[in-house]
Amino acid sequence: MTENTQTPSSPDSELPTAYVPADVEGKLYERWVERGYFEADEKSEKPPYAIVIPPPNVTGSLHLGHAFEHTLIDALTRRKRMQGYETLWQPGMDHAGIATQNVVERELAKEGKSRHDLGREAFVERVWQWKGESGGQISGQMRRLGDGVDWSRERFTMDEGLSEAVQTIFKKLYDDELIYRAERIINWCPRCLTAISDIEVEYQDDEGELVSIRYGEGDASIVVATTRAETMLGDTAVAVHPEDERYAHLVGTEIELPLTGRRIPVVADAHVDPEFGTGAVKVTPAHDPNDFEIGQRHGLPNLAVMDEHAVITVHGPFLGLDRLEARSAIVAALRAEGRIVAEKRPYTHSVGHCSRCKTTIEPRLSLQWWVKVAPLAQAAGDAVRDGKVKIHPQEMEKRYFDWVDNLHDWCISRQLWWGHRIPVWYGPNGEIVCVGPDEQPPSGEGWTQDTDVLDTWFSSGLWPFSTLGWPQQTESLAKFYPNAVLVTGYDILFFWVARMMMFGLYAMDGTPPFSTIALHGMVRDERGKKMSKSFGNAVNPLDWMDKYGSDAVRFTLARGANPGVDVPIGEDWVQASSKFANKIWNATRFAMMNGATIEGDLPPVEELSATDRWVLSRLNETVAQADAYYEDYQFSKLSDALYHFAWDEVFDWYVELSKTTFFAGGEPAKASARVLGEVLDVMLRLLHPVVPFVTETLWTTLTGGESLVIAEWPKDSGFRDAAAEAEIEGVQSLVREVRRFRKEQGLDDKQKVPARLDLSATTLAAHEAAIRQVLRLQPEGDAFSATATLPVGGATVALDLSGTIDVAAERKRLSKDLGAAEKEKQQAEGKLGNEAFLAKAPDNVVDKIKGRLAKAEADIARIQAQLAAMPEA
């Protein structure tokens, strides 16, 4: 445990009778910030511990997913700060290219304008204006939650320093021939009018139609099936498998493409599955990624038939039609010519949608900028295989490898105005010049800069080192890179984590950006359903914070956080956590009113009671458990362990068992008061990273210390007292048994009952006063009559329940319970005595039956003893 160096609380340090989070949280947080507790010093000689915040979008606001993730990171960093690390939790926001541009364009639309009315420069200025006025509300919400971030280091992916980092790494990749420009099939959003990456496409099952179309005539005809009939206008071949004998006579010939008057070749390609459908596929190289690859292998032309709005640009009858309008019109025209062999509708199939605006994605041939990812992805995979980076939980490694080992080249250009503009200039004679941040772009007539901007994930992939000043070799970079751990959701393992791994290893000479990737799950509602406004189950965490306090929200989220597993949460659970915060408050306040103190050293062990030694032993074990759970990112187990230690062992057992000592006064009471003060001091330190506000208020009042934020983290002193733990477990066992019996009789816990205690054959004799206090057992009087006797572990508790229970009814009830226990024993013995059953039954089944037998035998002995001790009716 920690050596206490704090000044004890002054006599006038009083706590309000009730804990009101709203009266505490805001003031406390501002005090922490004003005093600079969260600011990291790169010049410090303390060991570093750095974590970056997964940068929320500047358009966003705090949702439960943010609150969940921030709670876990804050708990880790608060503990490390208390352990003496120079701790940096790096805050900041992402410029969120498409999302932010969409927001501002919608604002312009209300004025009857588009971005083109403003022009590029004025539009970008308008976005910056919006960012200054409306963006970043999440920062204030992070303060509400208690995030211990270093606000002096807050960064934005479009600020000057990070923009320099983006231009630097683009230039480096370009010079190393890892960035190139080429025509490829990309995912195009006709609504956002930009390319988006594979990982920004959301797939869902949509109802469409599957039509089978006959190309050619007679023996020279082939039937192909498609869900996108409009793309047939851009077909430049039909492909079959090289070994498919059905079409061998057609390979190398040409057939007529309906509606167009064009003839297209039949080619043989191994990509075609001869077992699927008719074994023949239409090839549209400009509108399908697989078709594009076939086209490349066979030298087919790329015929684009749609513009950026997904409007048909060829063939008179369909010219100017939207793709969906064209689909219906083309199917109707084919049907009129007798070309439709079969139609299936509705036909449910997986369709890609833009993750931002939900518009159906259109595969489209386009000239774009790409990152050659093979060597970068290889390094990112090897860093985990070689043990440089650990993924937690380990079972998530497979998902990581499945991704990085199969990465396609990354399309990084976006047809937007808001973002980092691609630093490439084109000359009047076809020159291409990539410009670094310290270089002057070419000037003169005919020189123009590329109009595209970079994918948002390009800049956020630099986050762990760009936020520390890279490409400048800053003191912060030297101190805090690499980060200790990345805490993030498994859902962006591919979006963000893989990008950071690739860029970090590339830019930082093979040093990965973090040592551990700790993945958590998604927050869901209490029924396990994804939270969504459309489902009507989305929750604003600020509403719960207003109602129950930030600590309650934090504790609920942490208690549900099993590594890599989704987290269900409901308001009832937050309410229960609020009761826990109130329990900590009320019990600590009671303890302080009854003399709990940290003044002076703990008394020597030999001067402490068994109850005192027990709680100190349990305290040290809890410290050890907390450390182990933190190191393994087991926040749920950590929270449960602290909850049960605080509520059950300290408040429900130690405080209750010690009341007679406090009431009696004298030296034993002083010793217990010091022990209780020690327990509260350490317990509040352990709880602080998860529930910082209530613990800070209580601890500073108890100890007079400056702040838990900078207090020392408890250490396990190694003290254990097995004998004291066994002794108190005996007390607990007796108390539980008597409480169980009282409950069975319908007696209220507070109802006083005369009792005779025979504890002489046990170690419990010294605890008789405490046992009587806890159980509300009065001394036996002259008229005492033992109507029930309970044998518990060598001790006997005789209760006089005359006037409180019906003895005849109780004997009848016990006799019924005895019969049920004897029947259970007979059944279990029958199965365990059956050799045929034992030969076939699994070990776990046999063990379960043995457990049932043991319980039945124990129940029989207990009930028989109760009946024997009970007077005749």
Side-chain angles (χ1 to χ4, degrees):
M1 289 175 288
T2 46
E3 179 183 349
N4 202 304
T5 58
Q6 306 296 337
T7 304
S9 56
S10 58
D12 60 349
S13 297
E14 295 183 357
L15 293 166
T17 55
Y19 177 55
V20 182
D23 293 344
V24 171
E25 295 176 349
K27 296 175 184 176
L28 267 187
Y29 189 83
E30 289 310 312
R31 185 188 307 161
W32 292 334
V33 173
E34 288 169 5
R35 294 181 177 179
Y37 292 154
F38 304 139
E39 293 181 11
D41 181 6
E42 62 268 14
K43 300 182 185 298
S44 167
E45 294 184 1
K46 295 178 182 179
Y49 185 83
I51 294 181
V52 294
I53 190 174
N57 288 351
V58 69
T59 58
S61 60
L62 192 73
H63 56 65
L64 270 178
H66 288 125
F68 173 55
E69 187 168 77
H70 290 201
T71 294
L72 305 187
I73 300 175
D74 196 40
L76 289 173
T77 52
R78 284 179 181 268
R79 172 176 174 259
K80 284 298 183 180
R81 190 178 292 110
M82 294 172 75
Q83 286 184 311
Y85 287 80
E86 192 61 39
T87 303
L88 169 62
W89 183 9
Q90 172 70 57
M93 287 180 290
D94 192 282
H95 66 281
I98 296 177
T100 304
Q101 180 156 321
N102 282 346
V103 167
V104 178
E105 286 198 79
R106 284 196 294 269
E107 293 296 313
L108 284 174
K110 294 175 184 177
E111 304 170 14
K113 297 178 182 179
S114 73
R115 60 182 164 120
H116 300 285
D117 294 323
L118 272 65
R120 183 169 192 143
E121 187 175 338
F123 176 78
V124 171
E125 182 60 35
R126 180 69 176 261
V127 180
W128 277 107
Q129 180 184 340
W130 174 88
K131 190 259 182 185
E133 295 173 355
S134 307
Q137 61 176 313
I138 200 168
S139 298
Q141 296 165 338
M142 287 167 60
R143 293 171 182 264
R144 283 288 311 277
L145 188 64
D147 287 2
V149 300
D150 185 346
W151 290 110
S152 70
R153 294 172 178 264
E154 187 174 13
R155 304 303 298 269
F156 180 54
T157 50
M158 286 285 287
D159 68 27
E160 185 177 345
L162 270 65
S163 294
E164 180 186 357
V166 168
Q167 194 171 353
T168 299
I169 202 160
F170 187 99
K171 171 71 170 174
K172 180 175 171 59
L173 288 163
Y174 182 87
D175 290 345
D176 288 345
E177 298 184 349
L178 293 174
I179 281 183
Y180 63 96
R181 195 178 189 221
E183 271 198 325
R184 297 281 188 276
I185 294 288
I186 47 90
N187 303 298
W188 181 264
C189 176
R191 159 63 184 79
C192 298
L193 297 179
T194 182
I196 64 174
S197 65
D198 291 343
I199 52 179
E200 294 170 302
V201 178
E202 293 179 350
Y203 287 90
Q204 66 183 47
D205 286 341
D206 286 357
E207 283 191 357
E209 62 179 346
L210 179 69
V211 293
S212 298
I213 310 168
R214 177 172 52 83
Y215 288 13
E217 302 292 344
D219 291 339
S221 67
I222 294 181
V223 175
V224 298
T226 182
T227 58
R228 301 164 65 216
E230 69 279 10
T231 63
M232 67 160 292
L233 300 177
D235 286 359
T236 55
V238 171
V240 298
H241 193 274
E243 298 176 3
D244 193 335
E245 295 182 358
R246 294 172 295 176
Y247 305 114
H249 66 290
L250 292 177
V251 174
T253 67
E254 292 185 342
I255 59 175
E256 182 182 350
L257 178 64
L259 305 181
T260 67
R262 289 192 290 116
R263 296 185 65 81
I264 57 176
V266 177
V267 299
D269 195 280
H271 171 76
V272 180
D273 180 0
E275 303 298 324
F276 183 77
T278 64
V281 297
K282 57 190 289 297
V283 182
T284 321
H287 292 279
D288 183 274
N290 292 321
D291 292 4
F292 177 78
E293 296 297 330
I294 293 175
Q296 291 289 295
R297 287 192 288 272
H298 297 277
L300 300 175
N302 302 315
L303 179 58
V305 297
M306 279 179 265
D307 66 12
E308 65 269 25
H309 297 281
V311 170
I312 302 298
T313 58
V314 298
H315 204 69
F318 313 110
L319 184 66
L321 294 181
D322 170 81
R323 57 183 165 170
L324 298 182
E325 297 171 333
R327 183 176 301 170
S328 299
I330 287 170
V331 170
L334 290 168
R335 189 183 299 115
E337 290 190 4
R339 294 284 178 177
I340 301 296
V341 176
E343 296 181 68
K344 184 177 181 181
R345 65 167 66 86
Y347 177 73
T348 302
H349 61 130
S350 182
V351 178
H353 295 261
C354 173
S355 61
R356 266 86 176 185
C357 70
K358 312 308 176 187
T359 301
T360 300
I361 289 301
E362 188 64 42
R364 184 169 187 252
L365 186 65
S366 181
L367 183 61
Q368 302 283 347
W369 286 96
W370 303 80
V371 171
K372 189 183 297 182
V373 299
L376 304 175
Q378 177 71 40
D382 289 346
V384 175
R385 291 188 182 91
D386 298 344
K388 290 181 181 178
V389 178
K390 290 182 171 56
I391 294 181
H392 186 87
Q394 190 174 3
E395 54 265 27
M396 287 286 181
E397 282 187 4
K398 183 181 184 301
R399 295 181 66 174
Y400 177 78
F401 291 135
D402 285 347
W403 180 255
V404 297
D405 292 346
N406 296 285
L407 269 178
H408 300 295
D409 284 359
W410 173 18
C411 177
I412 56 172
S413 45
R414 299 291 181 267
Q415 288 65 57
L416 304 171
W417 287 355
W418 173 245
H420 296 101
R421 195 162 172 183
I422 289 176
V424 170
W425 272 255
Y426 306 107
N429 300 311
E431 303 96 330
I432 300 178
V433 177
C434 180
V435 177
D438 299 324
E439 300 171 350
Q440 287 295 322
S443 59
E445 186 176 350
W447 283 95
T448 58
Q449 186 178 358
D450 195 300
T451 57
D452 289 351
V453 300
L454 287 163
D455 178 11
T456 297
W457 297 104
F458 190 94
S459 52
S460 60
L462 314 180
W463 192 248
F465 52 94
S466 64
T467 52
L468 297 173
W470 187 92
Q472 308 305 320
Q473 297 305 305
T474 64
E475 290 181 302
S476 292
L477 188 65
K479 179 74 174 179
F480 295 114
Y481 188 91
N483 290 181
V485 60
L486 173 74
V487 179
T488 192
Y490 64 71
D491 57 315
I492 58 172
L493 181 62
F494 316 131
F495 285 85
W496 189 45
V497 179
R499 307 299 196 226
M500 287 190 291
M501 285 286 284
M502 290 191 297
F503 281 165
L505 289 161
Y506 173 73
M508 299 301 293
D509 299 323
T511 302
F514 21 74
S515 303
T516 300
I517 301 168
L519 298 170
H520 58 72
M522 308 288 288
V523 177
R524 298 182 178 273
D525 69 13
E526 62 267 34
R527 296 177 181 84
K529 190 175 182 180
K530 180 180 178 180
M531 285 191 174
S532 167
K533 290 181 181 178
S534 61
F535 295 155
N537 63 350
V539 174
N540 183 346
L542 295 179
D543 293 340
W544 282 351
M545 288 184 213
D546 290 340
K547 194 171 182 180
Y548 302 108
S550 298
D551 282 335
V553 174
R554 289 171 62 115
F555 191 75
T556 304
L557 291 165
R559 202 171 184 189
N562 288 300
V565 178
D566 288 345
V567 183
I569 184 173
E571 187 169 359
D572 289 350
W573 304 336
V574 184
Q575 187 175 19
S577 295
S578 175
K579 290 179 180 177
F580 178 52
N582 288 323
K583 179 73 171 180
I584 298 171
W585 181 273
N586 293 331
T588 302
R589 182 173 177 274
F590 170 84
M592 292 171 62
M593 290 173 61
N594 284 274
T597 180
I598 64 161
E599 188 171 3
D601 295 332
L602 281 171
V605 172
E606 59 271 15
E607 295 180 14
L608 297 176
S609 69
T611 309
D612 291 336
R613 299 195 308 276
W614 165 78
V615 77
L616 290 175
S617 181
R618 293 299 308 134
L619 178 65
N620 276 283
E621 178 60 28
T622 303
V623 172
Q625 284 183 334
D627 282 332
Y629 290 144
Y630 263 118
E631 295 304 316
D632 200 33
Y633 306 100
Q634 297 279 359
F635 294 99
S636 178
K637 292 180 179 179
L638 164 76
S639 302
D640 267 346
L642 296 180
Y643 175 91
H644 289 298
F645 175 72
W647 194 308
D648 300 344
E649 297 187 301
V650 178
F651 301 142
D652 280 359
W653 284 111
Y654 180 72
V655 170
E656 291 300 316
L657 292 175
S658 298
K659 280 183 178 179
T660 54
T661 302
F662 289 129
F663 295 158
E667 291 304 314
K670 290 180 181 178
S672 291
R674 179 64 187 88
V675 168
L676 181 53
E678 179 76 10
V679 171
L680 292 175
D681 175 19
V682 175
M683 182 194 76
L684 292 171
R685 294 176 196 243
L686 291 174
L687 282 165
H688 176 73
V690 180
V691 284
F693 294 108
V694 66
T695 53
E696 172 86 340
T697 307
L698 292 171
W699 186 85
T700 52
T701 306
L702 170 71
T703 68
E706 182 181 342
S707 174
L708 265 176
V709 179
I710 55 171
E712 186 180 350
W713 180 253
K715 295 184 178 66
D716 175 11
S717 70
F719 174 76
R720 302 290 191 279
D721 192 325
E725 291 203 35
E727 189 170 322
I728 300 304
E729 283 171 9
V731 174
Q732 292 172 327
S733 179
L734 184 146
V735 169
R736 290 191 185 104
E737 181 60 24
V738 175
R739 281 176 172 167
R740 185 196 63 78
F741 179 77
R742 288 174 61 124
K743 185 176 182 180
E744 288 177 350
Q745 309 311 310
L747 297 179
D748 186 271
D749 284 345
K750 295 181 179 180
Q751 186 173 347
K752 295 181 178 180
V753 177
R756 177 187 301 141
L757 274 62
D758 181 2
L759 310 174
S760 57
T762 70
T763 59
L764 306 183
H767 303 280
E768 180 170 348
I771 291 171
R772 286 184 177 276
Q773 166 71 25
V774 170
L775 289 171
R776 306 291 194 273
L777 300 180
Q778 293 179 316
E780 55 187 292
D782 294 338
F784 180 82
S785 173
T787 58
T789 303
L790 305 177
V792 186
T796 303
V797 179
L799 303 173
D800 183 354
L801 301 178
S802 56
T804 60
I805 67 168
D806 184 333
V807 174
E810 177 60 16
R811 288 189 68 88
K812 183 177 180 181
R813 185 189 68 78
L814 287 172
S815 297
K816 182 179 178 181
D817 289 349
L818 180 61
E822 288 173 338
K823 182 178 180 181
E824 175 73 5
K825 177 186 175 186
Q826 184 180 10
Q827 290 177 342
E829 287 178 334
K831 288 187 176 181
L832 293 173
N834 185 332
E835 295 297 333
F837 170 78
L838 293 177
K840 295 179 179 179
D843 290 344
N844 65 317
V845 173
V846 175
D847 290 342
K848 187 175 181 180
I849 294 172
K850 288 179 178 178
R852 285 168 49 192
L853 176 60
K855 183 179 183 303
E857 290 174 338
D859 288 343
I860 290 169
R862 174 178 56 79
I863 296 169
Q864 286 176 337
Q866 291 179 13
L867 285 169
M870 188 174 288
E872 295 294 331

